[in-house]
Amino acid sequence: MAGMKMSAMRTAEAVAAIPMHHGLVLAAVLFALGLIGILVRRNLIFILMSIEIMLNAAGLAFVVAGARWEQADGQVMLIFILAVAAVEVSVGLALLLLLHRRFQTLDADAVSKMRG
Amino acid sequence: MEFTFYLSGAIAVAATLMVITGLNAVHALLYLIVSLLAVAIVFYVLGAPFAAALEVIIYAGAIMVLFVFVMMMLNLGKAAAAREQDWLTPGIWAGPAVLASLLLAELGYIFAQGGTAAGAVAVTAKEVGIALFGPYLLGVELASLLLLAGLVGACHLGRHEDVHHGWDEDERHENG
């Protein structure tokens, strides 16, 4: 209830909606969290999830920019990012299954040694 | 209407934090789905309803289902029943459930108010389609090529196990 009143007041005094940099900050925070996830975790499932988070944050940045100039280009780029994410995750999960089958583990360090 | 943006953003950040600090992959996946749904609401509030729908259908729907399938395949034969029992305790799904119900309440509020945030102009699916199949047609073709390459690659990697089917039987002999 308080939020509704606050929002109504804010819309009354400022027609310009959410500032662009707030959306970009959100995208940056999500991207940084994904990057931290990749750097910290050793489980391949979590690494793949962190990659998804980062791709999603990049798409969010595109949509925020597209909404700022009221153009469709941001959403078009989000669609391309979705295609890239789908391909990446399918190939990544197939590799993960192969790794699990061969080494019985999901530790990324298990495949740090090459045979050659 | 703006507070829905900030609330969704806070939910997305909190859920993502739970994803990267989670110990159990399935719990982390639940939080990741909540995070994606929160980002979808952010898209809607920003005036991108088509992107919001795609985010829910493709990201939270299709891609996350891939993760779920792979986890199902990985967990086979590993005291799955006992773990299932652990997962049904309320503490585990309470967090994602609370965040998701917050998102649902937000969605209800948005639909009750109608439309997007004040000042934000909704870019409809029609405009996106016109842009996608107009100036970005080459990108669509490249994306289709990429999807085909991913299909062939995943197919090849998945078929590898059939080619070396003898391995499984060898391991089974060693274990048994």
Side-chain angles (χ1 to χ4, degrees):
Chain A
M1 197 56 92
M4 280 170 64
K5 209 176 287 175
M6 199 178 69
S7 148
M9 270 168 52
R10 209 180 291 157
T11 44
E13 68 188 24
V15 184
I18 300 139
M20 183 191 181
H21 62 92
H22 287 184
L24 289 182
V25 164
L26 176 62
V29 167
L30 287 178
F31 190 89
L33 283 176
L35 187 61
I36 290 170
I38 286 188
L39 294 176
V40 168
R41 303 307 296 259
R42 289 293 89 191
N43 190 324
L44 270 176
I45 284 189
F46 283 93
I47 292 178
L48 277 178
M49 281 197 234
S50 303
I51 293 174
E52 291 300 306
I53 293 169
M54 289 168 71
L55 283 170
N56 192 38
L60 175 63
F62 271 115
V63 170
V64 167
R68 166 67 180 77
W69 282 284
E70 295 164 16
Q71 296 293 316
D73 304 62
Q75 296 184 55
V76 170
M77 291 313 287
L78 179 81
I79 293 171
F80 291 152
I81 288 176
L82 276 177
V84 170
V87 170
E88 176 262 329
V89 83
S90 58
V91 174
L93 286 173
L95 280 171
L96 188 145
L97 278 179
L98 213 60
L99 182 83
H100 184 73
R101 193 167 297 275
R102 212 174 266 195
F103 295 97
Q104 307 297 321
T105 179
L106 290 180
D107 193 352
D109 289 336
V111 280
S112 60
K113 293 189 183 73
M114 296 184 86
R115 190 175 290 172
Chain B
M1 188 57 89
E2 283 89 350
F3 86 96
T4 53
F5 171 85
Y6 297 104
L7 185 56
S8 307
I11 290 173
V13 170
T16 307
L17 213 59
M18 292 302 289
V19 171
I20 64 168
T21 58
L23 291 179
N24 192 316
V26 175
H27 306 163
L29 198 65
L30 283 179
Y31 278 112
L32 184 53
I33 291 172
V34 171
S35 166
L36 295 174
L37 293 178
V39 172
I41 286 200
V42 167
F43 285 168
Y44 191 86
V45 174
L46 282 174
F50 186 55
L54 281 181
E55 179 91 2
V56 172
I57 294 171
I58 297 182
Y59 243 122
I63 295 180
M64 291 302 117
V65 164
L66 266 183
F67 271 101
V68 171
F69 274 149
V70 167
M71 275 172 209
M72 267 168 49
M73 291 166 89
L74 294 182
N75 278 331
L76 277 183
K78 261 204 213 166
R83 213 188 281 178
E84 200 91 9
Q85 188 67 38
D86 288 344
W87 289 348
L88 284 179
T89 52
I92 281 157
W93 48 262
V98 166
L99 291 181
S101 51
L102 264 176
L103 283 178
L104 183 64
E106 227 176 285
L107 195 65
Y109 173 73
I110 289 173
F111 281 131
Q113 293 285 307
T116 55
V121 178
V123 178
T124 58
K126 186 181 172 187
E127 295 168 57
V128 176
I130 288 171
L132 188 62
F133 293 106
Y136 287 99
L137 191 59
L138 185 64
V140 175
E141 297 293 337
L142 286 175
S144 72
L145 212 61
L146 182 69
L147 283 167
L148 181 64
L151 177 71
V152 172
C155 214
H156 173 70
L157 289 173
R159 213 185 54 168
H160 213 66
E161 62 193 79
D162 284 346
V163 175
H164 296 98
H165 199 63
W167 281 15
D168 279 353
E169 290 181 359
D170 288 348
E171 281 166 11
R172 224 172 283 151
H173 283 306
E174 282 170 15
N175 291 336

